Amino acid sequence: YACRRKNAAASEPAQLCRRRLTVGRPPVEPRPLEHRAPSPRYAFSTTWAPPTQTKLLQPRAPPPRTHRNHNMYANLERWPATPSEGDNERAERAPRIVLMGSRRSGKTSMARVVFGKMSPHETLFVPSTAQPTLRLVANSDLVHFSIFDVPGDRDLSELRWRDAQMTPRDLFGRCVVLAYVVDAEADPYSECARLAEVAAAAKAANPRVQLEVFVHKVDGDHFLSEEQKLDCRREVEACARAELAELYAHGSDENVDPQQAQAYADDCLAGAAFSLTSIYDHSVFEAFSKLVSRALVPQRIVLRKMLDALVTACDMEKSFLFDVASKVYVATDSAPVDSASYELCADAIDVVLDVASIYAPDKTTPQEPSEGEEPTREEEPKPTRSNAASIQLSNGMALVLDEVDRNLALVCLLRTENLEKRDLIDYNLGCFRTALARLA
Protein backbone atom coordinates (compact mmCIF):
# COMPACT_ATOMS: atom_id res chain seq x y z
CA TYR A 1 0.00 0.00 0.00
CA ALA A 2 2.82 2.37 0.78
CA CYS A 3 4.43 1.78 -2.67
CA ARG A 4 1.10 2.36 -4.44
CA ARG A 5 0.60 5.62 -2.56
CA LYS A 6 4.08 6.79 -3.42
CA ASN A 7 3.60 6.18 -7.16
CA ALA A 8 0.28 8.02 -7.15
CA ALA A 9 1.90 11.00 -5.44
CA ALA A 10 4.69 11.03 -8.04
CA SER A 11 2.22 11.04 -10.95
CA GLU A 12 0.15 14.05 -9.65
CA PRO A 13 2.66 16.74 -10.84
CA ALA A 14 2.71 15.25 -14.32
CA GLN A 15 -1.11 15.35 -14.53
CA LEU A 16 -1.13 18.99 -13.35
CA CYS A 17 1.41 19.88 -16.05
CA ARG A 18 -0.77 18.29 -18.74
CA ARG A 19 -3.84 20.22 -17.49
CA ARG A 20 -1.98 23.53 -17.48
CA LEU A 21 -0.85 23.01 -21.09
CA THR A 22 -4.30 22.20 -22.43
CA VAL A 23 -6.40 24.74 -20.44
CA GLY A 24 -7.25 27.96 -22.36
CA ARG A 25 -6.08 26.73 -25.80
CA PRO A 26 -8.54 26.53 -28.71
CA PRO A 27 -9.12 23.13 -30.21
CA VAL A 28 -6.86 22.35 -33.16
CA GLU A 29 -8.73 21.98 -36.42
CA PRO A 30 -7.50 19.35 -38.85
CA ARG A 31 -5.69 20.88 -41.83
CA PRO A 32 -6.08 19.51 -45.35
CA LEU A 33 -3.05 17.69 -46.75
CA GLU A 34 -0.99 19.77 -49.13
CA HIS A 35 -0.42 18.33 -52.59
CA ARG A 36 3.26 17.91 -53.27
CA ALA A 37 4.68 17.24 -56.68
CA PRO A 38 6.17 13.77 -56.87
CA SER A 39 9.91 13.48 -57.05
CA PRO A 40 11.17 13.05 -60.63
CA ARG A 41 13.17 10.04 -59.53
CA TYR A 42 10.27 8.22 -57.86
CA ALA A 43 7.20 9.33 -59.85
CA PHE A 44 4.19 7.04 -59.62
CA SER A 45 0.88 7.48 -61.36
CA THR A 46 -2.16 7.07 -59.10
CA THR A 47 -4.73 7.39 -61.88
CA TRP A 48 -6.18 4.23 -63.28
CA ALA A 49 -5.89 3.55 -67.01
CA PRO A 50 -7.36 0.68 -69.02
CA PRO A 51 -4.84 -2.00 -69.89
CA THR A 52 -3.32 -1.68 -73.31
CA GLN A 53 -2.35 -4.51 -75.63
CA THR A 54 1.05 -5.84 -74.65
CA LYS A 55 3.76 -6.26 -77.26
CA LEU A 56 6.15 -9.14 -77.22
CA LEU A 57 9.80 -8.19 -77.09
CA GLN A 58 11.57 -9.11 -80.29
CA PRO A 59 15.25 -10.07 -80.19
CA ARG A 60 17.50 -7.38 -81.55
CA ALA A 61 19.62 -8.15 -84.56
CA PRO A 62 23.35 -7.93 -83.89
CA PRO A 63 25.03 -4.78 -85.17
CA PRO A 64 26.78 -5.13 -88.52
CA ARG A 65 30.43 -6.03 -88.25
CA THR A 66 32.84 -3.46 -89.53
CA HIS A 67 35.61 -4.89 -91.63
CA ARG A 68 38.86 -3.11 -91.02
CA ASN A 69 42.03 -3.41 -93.01
CA HIS A 70 43.82 -6.58 -92.06
CA ASN A 71 46.91 -6.24 -89.95
CA MET A 72 48.66 -8.32 -87.38
CA TYR A 73 46.41 -7.24 -84.52
CA ALA A 74 43.06 -7.61 -86.29
CA ASN A 75 40.50 -10.05 -84.96
CA LEU A 76 41.35 -13.38 -86.53
CA GLU A 77 38.35 -15.22 -87.93
CA ARG A 78 37.64 -18.86 -87.29
CA TRP A 79 37.74 -21.53 -89.91
CA PRO A 80 34.52 -21.13 -91.94
CA ALA A 81 32.02 -23.95 -91.57
CA THR A 82 31.23 -24.00 -95.29
CA PRO A 83 33.92 -22.73 -97.67
CA SER A 84 32.87 -20.59 -100.58
CA GLU A 85 33.12 -21.59 -104.22
CA GLY A 86 36.17 -19.40 -104.72
CA ASP A 87 37.92 -21.07 -101.81
CA ASN A 88 37.15 -24.50 -103.29
CA GLU A 89 38.73 -23.52 -106.60
CA ARG A 90 41.81 -22.12 -104.88
CA ALA A 91 42.04 -25.16 -102.63
CA GLU A 92 42.07 -27.48 -105.67
CA ARG A 93 45.13 -25.70 -107.06
CA ALA A 94 47.00 -25.26 -103.78
CA PRO A 95 49.57 -27.74 -102.40
CA ARG A 96 47.71 -30.38 -100.46
CA ILE A 97 48.05 -32.05 -97.09
CA VAL A 98 46.15 -35.34 -96.90
CA LEU A 99 45.10 -35.86 -93.30
CA MET A 100 44.31 -39.49 -92.46
CA GLY A 101 43.93 -41.68 -89.41
CA SER A 102 41.63 -44.10 -87.69
CA ARG A 103 38.17 -43.16 -86.47
CA ARG A 104 38.13 -40.93 -83.36
CA SER A 105 41.89 -40.50 -83.52
CA GLY A 106 41.60 -36.71 -83.27
CA LYS A 107 42.82 -35.65 -86.73
CA THR A 108 39.93 -33.25 -87.37
CA SER A 109 40.31 -31.74 -83.91
CA MET A 110 43.99 -31.10 -84.58
CA ALA A 111 43.21 -29.19 -87.76
CA ARG A 112 40.46 -27.18 -86.06
CA VAL A 113 42.68 -26.22 -83.11
CA VAL A 114 45.70 -25.20 -85.19
CA PHE A 115 44.13 -23.59 -88.25
CA GLY A 116 40.57 -22.94 -87.07
CA LYS A 117 41.36 -21.25 -83.72
CA MET A 118 39.06 -23.62 -81.87
CA SER A 119 39.50 -24.16 -78.15
CA PRO A 120 40.71 -27.67 -77.23
CA HIS A 121 37.70 -28.15 -74.95
CA GLU A 122 35.29 -27.40 -77.82
CA THR A 123 36.66 -30.33 -79.81
CA LEU A 124 34.68 -32.69 -77.58
CA PHE A 125 31.59 -31.73 -79.59
CA VAL A 126 33.17 -32.12 -83.05
CA PRO A 127 31.42 -34.99 -84.87
CA SER A 128 33.31 -37.69 -86.71
CA THR A 129 34.19 -36.96 -90.31
CA ALA A 130 31.59 -38.64 -92.53
CA GLN A 131 32.70 -37.35 -95.95
CA PRO A 132 36.02 -36.10 -97.32
CA THR A 133 36.43 -32.35 -96.82
CA LEU A 134 38.82 -29.92 -98.47
CA ARG A 135 39.78 -26.74 -96.61
CA LEU A 136 41.94 -23.85 -97.75
CA VAL A 137 44.55 -22.28 -95.46
CA ALA A 138 45.68 -18.98 -97.03
CA ASN A 139 46.89 -16.68 -94.26
CA SER A 140 49.82 -15.10 -96.13
CA ASP A 141 52.00 -15.48 -99.20
CA LEU A 142 54.12 -18.11 -97.45
CA VAL A 143 51.24 -19.98 -95.79
CA HIS A 144 49.06 -21.15 -98.66
CA PHE A 145 47.94 -24.77 -98.86
CA SER A 146 44.87 -26.98 -98.49
CA ILE A 147 43.97 -29.79 -96.08
CA PHE A 148 42.09 -32.83 -97.37
CA ASP A 149 40.48 -34.59 -94.40
CA VAL A 150 39.67 -38.26 -95.11
CA PRO A 151 37.15 -40.19 -92.95
CA GLY A 152 38.80 -42.72 -90.69
CA ASP A 153 36.23 -45.49 -91.12
CA ARG A 154 36.55 -45.74 -94.92
CA ASP A 155 38.89 -47.95 -96.91
CA LEU A 156 40.84 -46.48 -99.78
CA SER A 157 38.59 -48.30 -102.25
CA GLU A 158 35.42 -46.78 -100.75
CA LEU A 159 36.32 -43.11 -101.00
CA ARG A 160 34.13 -40.85 -103.13
CA TRP A 161 34.75 -37.21 -103.92
CA ARG A 162 32.12 -35.08 -105.65
CA ASP A 163 29.98 -38.06 -106.64
CA ALA A 164 32.88 -39.91 -108.23
CA GLN A 165 34.96 -42.86 -107.19
CA MET A 166 38.37 -41.87 -105.87
CA THR A 167 41.42 -43.95 -106.68
CA PRO A 168 44.73 -43.83 -104.76
CA ARG A 169 46.22 -41.89 -107.64
CA ASP A 170 43.46 -39.28 -107.37
CA LEU A 171 43.98 -39.08 -103.61
CA PHE A 172 47.78 -38.89 -103.51
CA GLY A 173 48.52 -37.45 -106.95
CA ARG A 174 48.41 -33.81 -105.77
CA CYS A 175 49.48 -34.65 -102.26
CA VAL A 176 52.68 -33.05 -100.96
CA VAL A 177 52.48 -34.31 -97.36
CA LEU A 178 50.63 -37.32 -95.98
CA ALA A 179 49.89 -36.64 -92.32
CA TYR A 180 48.76 -39.80 -90.58
CA VAL A 181 47.42 -39.60 -87.01
CA VAL A 182 47.98 -42.59 -84.72
CA ASP A 183 45.88 -42.80 -81.58
CA ALA A 184 48.33 -43.50 -78.76
CA GLU A 185 45.55 -44.77 -76.50
CA ALA A 186 44.30 -47.39 -79.00
CA ASP A 187 45.75 -50.75 -80.00
CA PRO A 188 49.13 -49.98 -81.63
CA TYR A 189 49.10 -53.07 -83.88
CA SER A 190 45.80 -52.23 -85.57
CA GLU A 191 46.87 -48.60 -85.92
CA CYS A 192 50.21 -49.54 -87.48
CA ALA A 193 48.61 -52.06 -89.83
CA ARG A 194 46.45 -49.34 -91.39
CA LEU A 195 49.40 -46.92 -91.39
CA ALA A 196 51.48 -49.43 -93.37
CA GLU A 197 48.66 -49.95 -95.87
CA VAL A 198 48.18 -46.22 -96.43
CA ALA A 199 51.92 -45.49 -96.66
CA ALA A 200 52.45 -48.24 -99.23
CA ALA A 201 49.55 -47.00 -101.38
CA ALA A 202 50.80 -43.40 -101.16
CA LYS A 203 54.34 -44.31 -102.20
CA ALA A 204 53.03 -46.39 -105.09
CA ALA A 205 50.80 -43.55 -106.35
CA ASN A 206 53.25 -40.69 -105.70
CA PRO A 207 56.86 -41.53 -104.79
CA ARG A 208 57.59 -37.90 -103.89
CA VAL A 209 55.00 -37.70 -101.13
CA GLN A 210 56.40 -36.98 -97.68
CA LEU A 211 55.10 -38.93 -94.67
CA GLU A 212 54.44 -37.32 -91.29
CA VAL A 213 53.19 -39.50 -88.43
CA PHE A 214 51.55 -37.83 -85.42
CA VAL A 215 51.42 -40.04 -82.33
CA HIS A 216 48.43 -38.25 -80.85
CA LYS A 217 46.74 -38.11 -77.41
CA VAL A 218 49.91 -38.51 -75.35
CA ASP A 219 48.38 -36.42 -72.56
CA GLY A 220 46.44 -39.26 -70.90
CA ASP A 221 47.10 -41.17 -67.72
CA HIS A 222 49.17 -43.75 -69.57
CA PHE A 223 51.88 -41.17 -70.37
CA LEU A 224 52.85 -39.50 -67.12
CA SER A 225 56.56 -39.24 -67.91
CA GLU A 226 58.62 -38.33 -70.94
CA GLU A 227 60.15 -41.78 -71.04
CA GLN A 228 56.74 -43.39 -71.53
CA LYS A 229 56.00 -41.02 -74.40
CA LEU A 230 59.31 -41.75 -76.10
CA ASP A 231 58.78 -45.49 -75.65
CA CYS A 232 55.37 -45.19 -77.32
CA ARG A 233 56.88 -43.36 -80.30
CA ARG A 234 59.65 -45.94 -80.70
CA GLU A 235 57.09 -48.75 -80.48
CA VAL A 236 54.90 -47.19 -83.17
CA GLU A 237 57.87 -46.66 -85.49
CA ALA A 238 59.15 -50.22 -85.03
CA CYS A 239 55.67 -51.67 -85.49
CA ALA A 240 55.15 -49.65 -88.68
CA ARG A 241 58.40 -50.98 -90.15
CA ALA A 242 57.45 -54.54 -89.26
CA GLU A 243 53.99 -54.16 -90.82
CA LEU A 244 55.46 -52.72 -94.03
CA ALA A 245 57.93 -55.60 -94.29
CA GLU A 246 55.14 -58.13 -93.73
CA LEU A 247 52.94 -56.37 -96.28
CA TYR A 248 55.72 -56.61 -98.86
CA ALA A 249 56.24 -60.31 -98.07
CA HIS A 250 52.54 -61.13 -98.47
CA GLY A 251 52.27 -59.13 -101.68
CA SER A 252 54.80 -61.22 -103.61
CA ASP A 253 54.18 -64.80 -104.62
CA GLU A 254 57.76 -65.97 -104.31
CA ASN A 255 59.79 -66.33 -101.19
CA VAL A 256 61.08 -62.90 -100.20
CA ASP A 257 64.42 -62.25 -98.63
CA PRO A 258 63.95 -60.54 -95.22
CA GLN A 259 66.55 -57.98 -96.22
CA GLN A 260 64.50 -57.00 -99.26
CA ALA A 261 61.39 -56.64 -97.13
CA GLN A 262 63.29 -54.49 -94.66
CA ALA A 263 64.70 -52.37 -97.48
CA TYR A 264 61.17 -51.84 -98.79
CA ALA A 265 60.00 -50.72 -95.34
CA ASP A 266 62.95 -48.33 -95.05
CA ASP A 267 62.17 -46.92 -98.48
CA CYS A 268 58.53 -46.27 -97.57
CA LEU A 269 59.51 -44.56 -94.31
CA ALA A 270 62.44 -42.63 -95.78
CA GLY A 271 62.28 -39.07 -94.48
CA ALA A 272 59.24 -39.81 -92.31
CA ALA A 273 58.97 -37.92 -89.03
CA PHE A 274 57.26 -39.34 -85.95
CA SER A 275 56.03 -36.61 -83.58
CA LEU A 276 54.29 -36.72 -80.19
CA THR A 277 51.27 -34.40 -80.20
CA SER A 278 48.46 -33.21 -77.97
CA ILE A 279 45.92 -30.45 -78.47
CA TYR A 280 46.26 -29.33 -74.84
CA ASP A 281 49.82 -28.00 -75.19
CA HIS A 282 52.14 -26.55 -77.83
CA SER A 283 53.21 -29.94 -79.22
CA VAL A 284 50.57 -30.00 -81.96
CA PHE A 285 51.57 -26.49 -83.11
CA GLU A 286 55.23 -27.43 -83.14
CA ALA A 287 54.53 -30.61 -85.13
CA PHE A 288 52.58 -28.73 -87.79
CA SER A 289 55.30 -26.07 -87.85
CA LYS A 290 57.91 -28.66 -88.75
CA LEU A 291 55.57 -30.07 -91.41
CA VAL A 292 54.87 -26.68 -93.02
CA SER A 293 58.43 -25.35 -92.88
CA ARG A 294 59.93 -28.56 -94.24
CA ALA A 295 57.59 -29.31 -97.16
CA LEU A 296 55.23 -26.44 -97.96
CA VAL A 297 57.50 -23.36 -98.05
CA PRO A 298 59.56 -23.27 -101.27
CA GLN A 299 61.70 -20.37 -99.98
CA ARG A 300 62.75 -22.22 -96.80
CA ILE A 301 66.46 -22.35 -97.69
CA VAL A 302 66.66 -18.62 -98.45
CA LEU A 303 64.65 -17.77 -95.33
CA ARG A 304 66.93 -19.89 -93.16
CA LYS A 305 70.01 -18.10 -94.51
CA MET A 306 68.37 -14.71 -93.89
CA LEU A 307 67.54 -15.66 -90.31
CA ASP A 308 71.08 -16.96 -89.78
CA ALA A 309 72.47 -13.62 -90.91
CA LEU A 310 70.08 -11.76 -88.61
CA VAL A 311 70.98 -13.90 -85.59
CA THR A 312 74.71 -13.43 -86.24
CA ALA A 313 74.49 -9.67 -86.75
CA CYS A 314 72.39 -9.00 -83.62
CA ASP A 315 73.92 -11.69 -81.39
CA MET A 316 70.59 -13.50 -80.86
CA GLU A 317 69.92 -16.97 -79.52
CA LYS A 318 66.98 -18.07 -81.70
CA SER A 319 64.58 -16.61 -84.26
CA PHE A 320 61.26 -17.75 -85.71
CA LEU A 321 59.16 -16.42 -88.56
CA PHE A 322 55.59 -17.03 -87.39
CA ASP A 323 52.23 -17.13 -89.07
CA VAL A 324 50.20 -15.05 -86.62
CA ALA A 325 46.84 -16.66 -87.37
CA SER A 326 47.93 -20.21 -86.52
CA LYS A 327 51.12 -19.72 -84.45
CA VAL A 328 52.93 -22.02 -86.88
CA TYR A 329 56.45 -20.97 -87.75
CA VAL A 330 57.24 -21.10 -91.45
CA ALA A 331 61.01 -20.69 -91.06
CA THR A 332 63.70 -20.68 -88.40
CA ASP A 333 67.48 -20.41 -88.24
CA SER A 334 69.94 -23.30 -88.40
CA ALA A 335 70.15 -23.76 -84.63
CA PRO A 336 68.22 -26.75 -83.23
CA VAL A 337 64.64 -26.01 -82.22
CA ASP A 338 64.05 -26.16 -78.48
CA SER A 339 60.48 -26.78 -77.34
CA ALA A 340 60.83 -24.30 -74.47
CA SER A 341 62.06 -21.55 -76.83
CA TYR A 342 59.21 -22.21 -79.22
CA GLU A 343 56.64 -22.00 -76.41
CA LEU A 344 58.07 -18.67 -75.22
CA CYS A 345 57.96 -17.16 -78.70
CA ALA A 346 54.47 -18.49 -79.41
CA ASP A 347 53.14 -17.14 -76.10
CA ALA A 348 54.67 -13.75 -76.91
CA ILE A 349 52.35 -13.50 -79.91
CA ASP A 350 49.30 -14.08 -77.69
CA VAL A 351 50.51 -11.48 -75.17
CA VAL A 352 51.08 -8.84 -77.84
CA LEU A 353 47.72 -9.58 -79.47
CA ASP A 354 45.87 -9.23 -76.17
CA VAL A 355 47.61 -6.01 -75.18
CA ALA A 356 47.35 -4.46 -78.64
CA SER A 357 43.63 -5.20 -78.88
CA ILE A 358 43.15 -2.86 -75.89
CA TYR A 359 45.79 -0.15 -76.24
CA ALA A 360 47.07 -0.15 -79.82
CA PRO A 361 45.37 2.30 -82.20
CA ASP A 362 44.49 1.54 -85.77
CA LYS A 363 47.68 0.96 -87.69
CA THR A 364 46.37 2.30 -91.00
CA THR A 365 45.67 5.90 -91.90
CA PRO A 366 43.92 7.03 -95.07
CA GLN A 367 46.15 8.88 -97.50
CA GLU A 368 44.80 12.38 -98.03
CA PRO A 369 45.16 13.91 -101.51
CA SER A 370 47.28 17.00 -101.84
CA GLU A 371 46.00 20.34 -103.08
CA GLY A 372 44.78 20.26 -106.63
CA GLU A 373 44.47 16.47 -106.78
CA GLU A 374 41.26 14.53 -106.91
CA PRO A 375 40.91 11.50 -104.63
CA THR A 376 40.93 8.14 -106.38
CA ARG A 377 38.55 5.41 -105.35
CA GLU A 378 41.05 2.61 -105.87
CA GLU A 379 43.44 4.15 -103.37
CA GLU A 380 43.79 2.09 -100.18
CA PRO A 381 45.15 3.21 -96.82
CA LYS A 382 48.79 2.41 -96.25
CA PRO A 383 50.28 1.29 -92.96
CA THR A 384 52.10 3.96 -91.04
CA ARG A 385 54.65 1.67 -89.35
CA SER A 386 55.17 -1.95 -88.44
CA ASN A 387 53.99 -3.31 -85.13
CA ALA A 388 56.78 -4.15 -82.70
CA ALA A 389 57.20 -5.12 -79.07
CA SER A 390 59.97 -6.19 -76.69
CA ILE A 391 59.49 -8.26 -73.54
CA GLN A 392 62.08 -8.78 -70.82
CA LEU A 393 61.88 -12.09 -68.97
CA SER A 394 62.90 -12.86 -65.42
CA ASN A 395 65.54 -15.40 -66.46
CA GLY A 396 67.82 -12.86 -68.12
CA MET A 397 66.36 -13.33 -71.61
CA ALA A 398 64.31 -10.99 -73.78
CA LEU A 399 61.88 -11.37 -76.68
CA VAL A 400 61.69 -9.04 -79.66
CA LEU A 401 58.61 -9.21 -81.88
CA ASP A 402 58.26 -7.33 -85.15
CA GLU A 403 55.65 -7.50 -87.88
CA VAL A 404 57.52 -8.02 -91.13
CA ASP A 405 54.66 -8.72 -93.54
CA ARG A 406 50.92 -9.24 -93.67
CA ASN A 407 50.07 -11.76 -90.96
CA LEU A 408 53.77 -12.66 -90.52
CA ALA A 409 55.73 -11.82 -87.38
CA LEU A 410 59.40 -12.29 -86.59
CA VAL A 411 60.02 -13.32 -82.97
CA CYS A 412 63.61 -13.39 -81.70
CA LEU A 413 65.06 -14.65 -78.43
CA LEU A 414 68.17 -12.93 -77.09
CA ARG A 415 69.90 -12.00 -73.87
CA THR A 416 68.81 -8.90 -71.99
CA GLU A 417 72.20 -7.16 -72.24
CA ASN A 418 72.06 -7.44 -76.04
CA LEU A 419 68.74 -5.61 -76.03
CA GLU A 420 70.65 -2.37 -75.37
CA LYS A 421 71.75 -2.37 -79.02
CA ARG A 422 68.28 -1.33 -80.04
CA ASP A 423 69.36 0.78 -82.99
CA LEU A 424 71.34 -2.10 -84.47
CA ILE A 425 68.42 -4.49 -83.97
CA ASP A 426 65.93 -2.11 -85.61
CA TYR A 427 68.22 -1.55 -88.58
CA ASN A 428 68.68 -5.28 -89.19
CA LEU A 429 64.97 -5.91 -88.78
CA GLY A 430 64.31 -3.29 -91.43
CA CYS A 431 66.77 -4.98 -93.78
CA PHE A 432 65.07 -8.33 -93.16
CA ARG A 433 61.67 -6.80 -93.86
CA THR A 434 62.88 -5.35 -97.16
CA ALA A 435 64.47 -8.62 -98.24
CA LEU A 436 61.33 -10.57 -97.35
CA ALA A 437 59.17 -8.24 -99.45
CA ARG A 438 61.44 -8.84 -102.44
CA LEU A 439 61.41 -12.58 -101.84
CA ALA A 440 57.61 -12.85 -101.69
Side-chain angles (χ1 to χ4, degrees):
Y1 176 78
C3 293
R4 227 181 293 165
R5 180 65 181 172
K6 186 177 179 180
N7 293 336
S11 60
E12 287 180 0
Q15 295 177 359
L16 290 176
C17 292
R18 293 195 192 101
R19 291 171 185 171
R20 289 171 186 170
L21 290 174
T22 56
V23 171
R25 294 182 60 182
V28 180
E29 298 179 358
R31 293 181 298 176
L33 295 176
E34 297 179 0
H35 177 72
R36 296 183 181 181
S39 174
R41 185 176 180 183
Y42 303 102
F44 300 94
S45 176
T46 57
T47 59
W48 180 85
T52 58
Q53 186 178 2
T54 59
K55 295 182 179 181
L56 297 178
L57 296 177
Q58 300 294 334
R60 290 186 178 181
R65 301 180 63 180
T66 58
H67 296 279
R68 300 169 61 183
N69 294 323
H70 179 80
N71 55 39
M72 174 182 166
Y73 302 123
N75 293 328
L76 301 173
E77 298 293 338
R78 287 192 170 192
W79 210 351
T82 55
S84 60
E85 296 181 359
D87 290 344
N88 287 331
E89 296 178 0
R90 294 168 58 193
E92 289 286 349
R93 299 191 300 266
R96 183 175 299 181
I97 299 176
V98 176
L99 190 60
M100 300 186 69
S102 60
R103 188 176 181 273
R104 306 303 298 177
S105 61
K107 52 185 179 57
T108 306
S109 301
M110 294 173 62
R112 295 285 182 91
V113 169
V114 177
F115 301 106
K117 298 192 69 64
M118 178 179 286
S119 173
H121 301 284
E122 295 179 2
T123 58
L124 298 174
F125 308 101
V126 174
S128 299
T129 305
Q131 297 294 332
T133 57
L134 183 65
R135 300 286 182 176
L136 177 67
V137 179
N139 299 330
S140 63
D141 296 334
L142 298 178
V143 182
H144 186 271
F145 53 88
S146 60
I147 298 178
F148 191 77
D149 192 358
V150 181
D153 55 351
R154 302 288 181 86
D155 294 333
L156 295 179
S157 59
E158 299 177 356
L159 292 178
R160 298 184 62 86
W161 174 245
R162 294 181 178 177
D163 298 334
Q165 186 69 27
M166 201 171 195
T167 62
R169 189 174 184 84
D170 298 333
L171 178 61
F172 302 109
R174 299 181 181 179
C175 174
V176 179
V177 180
L178 170 60
Y180 194 90
V181 181
V182 175
D183 190 355
E185 297 179 351
D187 184 16
Y189 297 101
S190 60
E191 293 282 331
C192 293
R194 179 170 172 78
L195 169 60
E197 180 185 355
V198 171
K203 286 294 183 179
N206 185 5
R208 295 178 297 177
V209 68
Q210 183 172 345
L211 179 62
E212 297 281 341
V213 180
F214 296 151
V215 184
H216 196 46
K217 298 182 182 179
V218 292
D219 50 4
D221 297 336
H222 302 286
F223 309 98
L224 299 178
S225 63
E226 291 296 329
E227 296 180 358
Q228 294 176 342
K229 297 179 182 179
L230 295 177
D231 291 341
C232 179
R233 186 179 66 180
R234 284 192 291 265
E235 183 181 358
V236 169
E237 185 175 359
C239 184
R241 292 182 183 275
E243 290 291 339
L244 280 170
E246 185 178 357
L247 186 64
Y248 178 78
H250 286 291
S252 58
D253 298 334
E254 302 177 356
N255 294 330
V256 179
D257 188 8
Q259 294 183 356
Q260 294 181 358
Q262 191 64 32
Y264 173 78
D266 295 339
D267 185 32
C268 290
L269 296 180
F274 290 78
S275 304
L276 299 171
T277 58
S278 173
I279 60 175
Y280 295 100
D281 53 20
H282 291 81
S283 60
V284 63
F285 295 93
E286 187 176 357
F288 269 102
S289 298
K290 295 178 181 179
L291 184 153
V292 172
S293 61
R294 187 161 44 195
L296 296 174
V297 180
Q299 307 91 339
R300 58 184 177 277
I301 299 177
V302 180
L303 290 173
R304 183 171 65 247
K305 292 181 178 180
M306 291 169 56
L307 292 174
D308 288 339
L310 177 66
V311 168
T312 304
C314 299
D315 198 9
M316 296 177 177
E317 301 294 329
K318 191 64 181 173
S319 61
F320 296 95
L321 183 61
F322 274 96
D323 172 44
V324 180
S326 60
K327 290 191 297 184
V328 168
Y329 67 83
V330 298
T332 183
D333 57 292
S334 300
V337 178
D338 185 16
S339 299
S341 301
Y342 169 76
E343 291 180 11
L344 280 175
C345 297
D347 290 339
I349 295 179
D350 291 337
V351 171
V352 174
L353 286 175
D354 294 340
V355 174
S357 63
I358 303 174
Y359 298 103
D362 190 7
K363 299 298 179 183
T364 56
T365 54
Q367 185 178 3
E368 297 180 359
S370 57
E371 297 181 359
E373 292 183 0
E374 295 182 358
T376 58
R377 296 182 179 180
E378 292 81 6
E379 210 165 3
E380 294 182 356
K382 298 182 179 181
T384 57
R385 60 177 297 275
S386 62
N387 304 304
S390 60
I391 304 173
Q392 295 187 13
L393 306 177
S394 59
N395 58 354
M397 304 297 290
L399 293 170
V400 175
L401 186 145
D402 187 80
E403 182 187 7
V404 293
D405 199 0
R406 184 181 67 89
N407 212 9
L408 288 177
L410 178 64
V411 185
C412 304
L413 182 66
L414 69 161
R415 298 187 181 275
T416 306
E417 55 267 18
N418 296 330
L419 193 60
E420 298 176 358
K421 310 172 187 178
R422 190 66 194 186
D423 296 335
L424 177 63
I425 294 175
D426 291 342
Y427 173 77
N428 287 298
L429 289 178
C431 294
F432 182 88
R433 195 183 304 111
T434 304
L436 183 63
R438 294 177 180 177
L439 182 63

